[in-house]
Each structure stands twice: as structure tokens, then as C-alpha cells.
Amino acid sequence: MASINNTDILKSIDYAKKNQLFEKLNNIYETLPKGQCTGCGSCCMESVGINLIEFLNIYNYLQDKDELRKKSLDRIMDYYFMEFIEKKSCPFKDENNRCEIYEVRPLNCRLFGHWKKEDYNKNLKDITEKNQQYKNIMKVKYGFDISDEVVNYKIKYCEDFIPEDRYLSKSERLNFADNVMVLDSRLFSKGIIDIEFRDRGIVEYFIDSLLNQNMSYNIKVRISKEKNISKRTIGRLKRMLIK
Ligand code: SF4
Ligand code: SF4
């Protein structure tokens, strides 16, 4: 496994700009139904799944915002390396529960309130079961327990969000996701970034831009096993990697 180096990210951003892929992404976002939200931020509690084009869009957005970029990377590293130990918010949620990358927030964040309750709760049940299975695998393979706080954390269905018209069916939601995936396939077919960087969360994409995947995962496992080294190790990595 590898990392996504900065040169390849910049080349991909360049390709996306020349081929209007960011405009196309924004057009997809524009077609999403609207709704009313209290902005409480309770749903911003995970490394939300994103597509490569969305990662590039966010990376590009942060390029001339040095302070926000460094602050976000700092939180991203805490989130990633402490992920098996404690539950943290999405690294882009600020102290006032606002999204710091609201303009370029990914599709899944934009669709959050639009789920039908029964679909949402079914998905939540599946996630909790998968988390439990993953906990068992990690115990057998590496000999540590992912904390129950992490395994059992649930982002509850939002009753406060009011869709402008109606809730979306699963196929309608997947249709939007497919449209974004088409943009990804343009990037992958260009061959600048390896296809293995698919299906990652927002945190994982940024970690991959800093460190080799194997190395970051091994460090995370070590931190999870020897909790007393966590702060020191993460602090050292931050000083090394956040420039
Ligand atoms: S969608 Fe719901 S939980 Fe999320 S910020 Fe809006 S009101 Fe809060
Ligand atoms: S990217 Fe923004 S909207 Fe999405 S989960 Fe994070 S803070 Fe919330």
C-alpha cells in the first residue's frame, strides 16, 4: 500500500480543473433537494465517506487557507490515531458546532437529513453489527479491545431536519452517489492516483496524503495497544508532518 503524494494530488486537481470536474461536482450538489436544519452539529460525528473528487475539492479549498488547513490536519491526526480509543467529532466541526468546510462539504453530509427513518435505522443497525465484528477481528489479530464507546456510538436519526418536499428513497440517494462516482472514474482512468484510494472516509484520505497507509495503520494499532504512548507519538507525528 502507498500514500497519495502531494505531487499526484496537485496533478489531479489540475486535471479536474482543466476538465471542469469541480464544476460538475458543484452541479450535482446544486441539484440536491434542500431542507431546514437547526445546525446543531449532532450528526457531524464521524469520518464521513467521500469520493476522490470530493477529497480533491476539499484539499483544493484548503490550499490557500493555511491556518484552517493546519488546524484541520491536527484534528484529523487526533481522530485517526485515537479512533479505536475514543469517539471524536468530524475534524472539520468547529467549537461552535459549525462545519469549517461548509461550501465544499461532501455529498453524504448534504444528504444526511434526507433519509427515510426506516432506511436510516436499518443502516445504523448494520453499522453497529459491523463495528462489533471489527472489534472481534482486532482482538484476535492484534490483542486489544476497541473501546465500547467507539463500537456502540450511534449518530441518531435526525427528527429536526425538515425536507423541503419529501424524504429521498434509497435509489434516489444512490443515484446522486453514482453521478459523483462517474467523476471519480474520469480521475482513476487518467492513472495519476491509484484506484486503491477508493471508498475512503474524509479522515483516511487526508491521512493517506501524509503517510504511507501501512505505516499509519501500524502506528494506530500500536497506539491502541499501548495507550500511554498515544499523546507523545501523535505529537511527534504532527510536528513531523504538518507543514
Ligand atoms: S441534520 Fe439534524 S442533527 Fe444534523 S445539524 Fe441538522 S438538525 Fe442537527
Ligand atoms: S464535513 Fe462538515 S458537514 Fe460533514 S460531518 Fe464534517 S463538519 Fe459535518
Side-chain angles (χ1 to χ4, degrees):
M1 288 194 203
S3 53
I4 326 178
N5 69 52
N6 193 46
T7 312
D8 289 347
I9 294 172
L10 295 180
K11 269 194 213 163
S12 302
I13 289 176
D14 197 39
Y15 176 81
K17 283 182 178 166
K18 282 190 181 129
N19 290 279
Q20 288 86 45
L21 300 189
F22 294 139
E23 280 91 333
K24 290 186 171 107
L25 178 64
N26 283 329
N27 290 343
I28 298 170
Y29 289 159
E30 286 295 314
T31 61
L32 296 174
K34 307 283 181 283
Q36 274 179 34
C37 169
T38 66
C40 70
S42 304
C43 54
C44 300
M45 286 301 295
E46 63 180 354
S47 167
V48 66
I50 61 171
N51 284 83
L52 175 60
I53 185 68
E54 296 185 291
F55 163 67
L56 297 175
N57 195 33
I58 297 165
Y59 193 99
N60 185 41
Y61 177 79
L62 291 174
Q63 278 201 95
D64 60 355
K65 299 174 181 62
D66 211 38
E67 202 180 315
L68 175 59
R69 187 182 57 80
K70 285 185 179 162
K71 182 173 148 197
S72 304
L73 287 174
D74 189 283
R75 287 187 185 152
I76 282 167
M77 291 183 75
D78 283 335
Y79 185 105
Y80 179 80
F81 289 111
M82 297 293 285
E83 195 173 10
F84 297 146
I85 300 172
E86 60 184 50
K87 185 67 204 158
K88 290 187 179 291
S89 309
C90 167
F92 292 103
K93 179 162 85 165
D94 74 7
E95 297 74 12
N96 301 312
N97 292 325
R98 312 303 294 181
C99 175
E100 295 191 295
I101 54 165
Y102 191 77
E103 280 172 57
V104 288
R105 70 199 186 286
L107 180 74
N108 278 332
C109 306
R110 294 169 195 255
L111 284 179
F112 179 77
H114 294 277
W115 286 59
K116 287 180 182 165
K117 192 171 185 175
E118 65 207 55
D119 288 354
Y120 185 88
N121 285 337
K122 164 145 193 345
N123 188 54
L124 197 55
K125 190 165 165 277
D126 293 347
I127 291 172
T128 312
E129 280 170 16
K130 277 191 195 133
N131 285 352
Q132 192 55 55
Q133 285 164 8
Y134 192 63
K135 175 175 173 146
N136 297 340
I137 291 169
M138 296 305 273
K139 178 74 177 172
V140 172
K141 199 164 174 193
Y142 298 110
F144 72 89
D145 282 307
I146 303 179
S147 81
D148 286 338
E149 179 200 15
V150 172
V151 173
N152 298 323
Y153 193 88
K154 291 184 177 71
I155 302 174
K156 291 202 188 90
Y157 181 77
C158 176
E159 305 276 358
D160 295 329
F161 181 89
I162 306 164
E164 190 178 55
D165 179 18
R166 60 186 173 80
Y167 292 102
L168 295 177
S169 66
K170 187 173 177 181
S171 65
E172 285 173 308
R173 282 185 282 106
L174 289 179
N175 206 20
F176 287 116
D178 286 346
N179 291 340
V180 179
M181 245 183 268
V182 169
L183 303 179
D184 269 21
S185 63
R186 296 271 308 271
L187 288 158
F188 285 125
S189 68
K190 195 73 192 136
I192 308 170
I193 286 183
D194 200 290
I195 195 128
E196 75 188 50
F197 292 103
R198 265 185 323 183
D199 304 330
R200 312 204 39 84
I202 197 165
V203 164
E204 288 74 23
Y205 266 111
F206 276 94
I207 290 290
D208 291 348
S209 74
L210 297 173
L211 265 179
N212 170 288
Q213 282 182 348
N214 271 346
M215 192 186 289
S216 54
Y217 193 74
N218 289 340
I219 296 171
K220 176 158 141 168
V221 166
R222 191 161 160 240
I223 285 172
S224 310
K225 288 174 82 158
E226 301 168 48
K227 297 184 180 66
N228 56 332
I229 66 161
S230 60
K231 280 209 170 66
R232 224 175 37 244
T233 309
I234 298 169
R236 230 181 2 242
L237 284 166
K238 283 178 182 173
R239 285 193 293 280
M240 226 165 67
L241 298 170
I242 303 178
K243 301 262 169 3

